[in-house]
Amino acid sequence: MVTFLVCLSILIGGYFIYGTYVDRMVGVNPDKETPAVKLQDDVDYVPMPWWKVFLIQFLNIAGTGPIFGAISGALFGPVAFLWITFGTIFAGAVHDYLSGVISMKHDGMSVSELVGIYLGDHMKMIMRVFSVILLILVGTVFVSSPAGLLASMTGQGLVFWTVIIILYYILATILPVDKIVGKIYPLFGAALLLMAIGLCGAMFINHFNGTRPMVEMTLENLHPEKLSVFPFLFVTIACGALSGFHATQSPMMARCVSNERESKKVFYGAMVVEGIVALVWCAVSLSFFGDTAHLNQALVESGGQSGVVNIISTGLLGKVGAVLALLGVVACPITSGDTAFRSARLTIADAFSIKQDHVAKRFYIAIPLFVICIILTQFDFNIIWRYFAWSNQTLATICLWTSTVYLLKNKRNYWITLIPATFMTFICTSYILQAKEGLRLSGTFSNGVGILAAIILFSWFMRRVMKGKLEQEVPCQAKNLLGE
């Protein structure tokens, strides 16, 4: 209990202390027109109140991520609390904040175009393909999994629910952002917050009072399958600490922020709240089942994280919990899926300079995406989806390096992103070398190579910084963005 409360306090304090430092250091300009105001088209560029943008951003980046990832991460034991807490403050929230702010400075530009400006045209081409594939995969899986759950719960066929969800996705992708996303998402976002608050309260009443002892705080790896903390924990818990998927979502909301002074609340704040949700679910999972062995048994017997969500929610909150469980395992994935396709549409539109003011142009881009989605729903995603975890963190690493060059260019403290970028370079390299979906090499060798890769990239960066070459190489459109 003490560990949970300390980590919760650090997360909240991190928003007010480190979040304020980042906001002041980056130097947003409240007098400059944001893309939402300057380029308002009532489709994608739509000014909204900060609280609405915050709730939409929170649900966009959350979905089931801080729930499912935290449950799986809890298998490592209380050490997962540390990654959620410090990963959120020093990596995830900084990543989300800068991806949103940099996008605003470039008229709401998508992440692949931003990467191109700061890391070069070759990286831009790679990121265009990489991010669109990633978004289609996210969207497709979040068609299949909710459709399967709804089919099992209602008795209606899988095809029926697949068609319904895809039709909804098409509408959410094509219609102006304030018509569906702007109206439904704040409600779902608030419900997800209430779910976490309710479970947290029930956890204290029922399971932190000594009736079911929770494992004591320890840095020991308690994973039943003995997966190593480095690098697996840092990939398993993604959306609750650091996630590259967020960099595809922040530019979408960068087109809706009315004033740059709202950046901290919308981007840094949404990530901190997601970290809190992940922390609650990690603690609840350990508290409810008592230890990692029983949690792992529940995951196996109930069919995965969705089953555990249902067991915990109904066990702690009764019928209300059942409704919240339905929200968590059905509604939240759908709200991640539709914005994934919307982000894919915007990424393609930016890449080919296709204005999105007419609905026909939006259909022109969106329909092929959904044709691919329909085809992919016929395949088993169990193997393919495993690559998402690594791809997601690799995207986050690229965005952190992009932010580092951005800060360097604007003569700001680039260490706030350089340190997490270097660390995640080690994690991603090590993971793909030893994971089942990777090369399956030994952990010792893989971690060694990962450390070496991080050192080489860090040294290369610092050497070019010392010689002033990186500032010379960044294109002119990246200059003086913080000195307006």
Side-chain angles (χ1 to χ4, degrees):
M1 177 173 69
V2 174
T3 304
F4 170 76
L5 290 176
V6 169
C7 289
L8 180 62
S9 299
I10 292 173
L11 270 172
I12 296 172
Y15 170 78
F16 290 103
I17 299 173
Y18 196 68
T20 298
Y21 167 74
V22 171
D23 192 49
R24 289 178 179 174
M25 185 274 303
V26 169
V28 295
N29 186 349
D31 298 321
K32 182 187 177 185
E33 280 190 328
T34 62
V37 177
K38 182 172 66 174
L39 303 174
Q40 183 174 355
D41 62 2
D42 295 324
V43 178
D44 297 309
Y45 293 87
V46 181
M48 295 185 190
W50 78 264
W51 60 268
K52 183 175 284 190
V53 182
F54 164 82
L55 286 172
I56 295 171
Q57 171 73 1
F58 168 62
L59 197 60
N60 281 354
I61 65 175
T64 57
I67 302 175
F68 287 8
I71 292 172
S72 297
L75 292 173
F76 290 91
V79 67
F81 289 5
L82 301 182
W83 170 232
I84 292 172
T85 302
F86 295 105
T88 294
I89 294 171
F90 296 108
V94 176
H95 167 277
D96 292 10
Y97 174 87
L98 277 163
S99 61
V101 168
I102 297 173
S103 180
M104 275 197 288
K105 298 293 186 181
H106 289 281
D107 292 335
M109 194 175 287
S110 299
V111 62
S112 56
E113 308 307 301
L114 297 176
V115 169
I117 289 174
Y118 293 96
L119 299 185
D121 288 338
H122 293 299
M123 282 302 301
K124 177 169 67 176
M125 296 305 298
I126 292 172
M127 281 295 294
R128 282 175 174 175
V129 176
F130 188 81
S131 57
V132 170
I133 291 175
L134 189 69
L135 289 166
I136 292 175
L137 284 174
V138 171
T140 303
V141 171
F142 286 153
V143 169
S144 302
S145 58
L149 287 167
L150 286 168
S152 64
M153 294 166 60
T154 63
Q156 290 284 355
L158 179 63
V159 174
F160 171 81
W161 285 114
T162 299
V163 171
I164 293 296
I165 293 172
I166 288 177
L167 288 175
Y168 163 74
Y169 279 5
I170 292 174
L171 289 176
T173 303
I174 298 299
L175 291 177
V177 68
D178 59 334
K179 299 305 180 186
I180 292 182
V181 173
K183 287 183 170 60
I184 295 177
Y185 274 42
L187 297 176
F188 281 146
L192 189 58
L193 284 175
L194 289 174
M195 180 185 194
I197 293 170
L199 287 171
C200 186
M203 174 177 63
F204 273 91
I205 294 170
N206 295 303
H207 292 282
F208 275 169
N209 59 7
T211 57
R212 184 174 298 186
M214 179 180 168
V215 61
E216 296 292 336
M217 177 58 195
T218 175
L219 296 180
E220 181 184 354
N221 180 9
L222 302 179
H223 199 288
E225 297 178 10
K226 301 303 179 184
L227 287 179
S228 61
V229 171
F230 294 94
F232 292 99
L233 171 62
F234 302 90
V235 176
T236 300
I237 300 179
C239 289
L242 170 67
S243 170
F245 175 68
H246 298 184
T248 68
Q249 303 302 294
S250 292
M252 189 163 63
M253 287 299 97
R255 305 182 186 206
C256 299
V257 174
S258 299
N259 193 297
E260 284 192 13
R261 69 164 62 95
E262 299 167 355
S263 301
K264 175 191 167 188
K265 291 182 284 191
V266 170
F267 299 113
Y268 199 100
M271 183 61 224
V272 168
V273 172
E274 183 176 13
I276 292 173
V277 171
L279 187 68
V280 168
W281 272 100
C282 188
V284 167
S285 299
L286 289 172
S287 169
F288 190 89
F289 295 103
D291 55 45
T292 59
H294 286 92
L295 172 58
N296 188 54
Q297 181 181 353
L299 283 166
V300 174
E301 293 178 352
S302 65
Q305 293 95 332
S306 298
V308 167
V309 168
N310 185 55
I311 292 171
I312 293 175
S313 299
T314 54
L316 291 179
L317 299 174
K319 292 181 179 180
V320 175
V323 175
L324 293 176
L326 180 66
L327 171 71
V329 300
V330 176
C332 287
I334 291 175
T335 56
S336 291
D338 60 8
T339 52
F341 282 115
R342 190 177 188 93
S343 296
R345 171 176 68 80
L346 294 174
T347 299
I348 294 172
D350 285 352
F352 294 98
S353 300
I354 303 173
K355 290 187 176 182
Q356 298 293 279
D357 48 349
H358 296 297
V359 67
K361 294 180 180 179
R362 302 198 289 275
F363 268 111
Y364 175 75
I365 297 175
I367 293 304
L369 296 177
F370 286 104
V371 170
I372 296 172
C373 168
I374 293 169
I375 294 172
L376 292 177
T377 56
Q378 309 305 307
F379 292 86
D380 182 0
F381 266 84
N382 289 331
I383 296 176
I384 298 176
W385 185 243
R386 286 205 298 261
Y387 286 95
F388 169 75
W390 173 79
S391 302
N392 185 46
Q393 298 304 66
T394 300
L395 177 57
T397 304
I398 293 171
C399 290
L400 285 168
W401 281 111
T402 300
S403 298
T404 303
V405 177
Y406 169 82
L407 292 171
L408 170 68
K409 187 65 189 178
N410 289 280
K411 296 179 172 57
R412 304 289 172 154
N413 180 11
Y414 56 81
W415 288 93
I416 64 170
T417 50
L418 175 60
I419 293 174
T422 303
F423 176 72
M424 290 307 299
T425 299
F426 152 61
I427 292 296
C428 292
T429 304
S430 175
Y431 181 88
I432 200 62
L433 289 176
Q434 63 184 284
K436 291 181 180 179
E437 58 270 27
L439 298 180
R440 303 190 181 193
L441 301 176
S442 72
T444 302
F445 175 79
S446 300
N447 288 338
V449 173
I451 292 172
L452 181 62
I455 291 174
I456 290 173
L457 193 53
F458 175 84
S459 301
W460 174 86
F461 177 85
M462 292 307 300
R463 183 178 179 184
R464 298 184 81 77
V465 168
M466 296 301 180
K467 292 183 176 180
K469 290 187 176 181
L470 277 175
E471 291 189 75
Q472 297 172 9
E473 293 169 357
V474 178
C476 59
Q477 63 262 44
K479 296 179 180 178
N480 300 321
L481 288 176
L482 293 179
E484 305 99 343

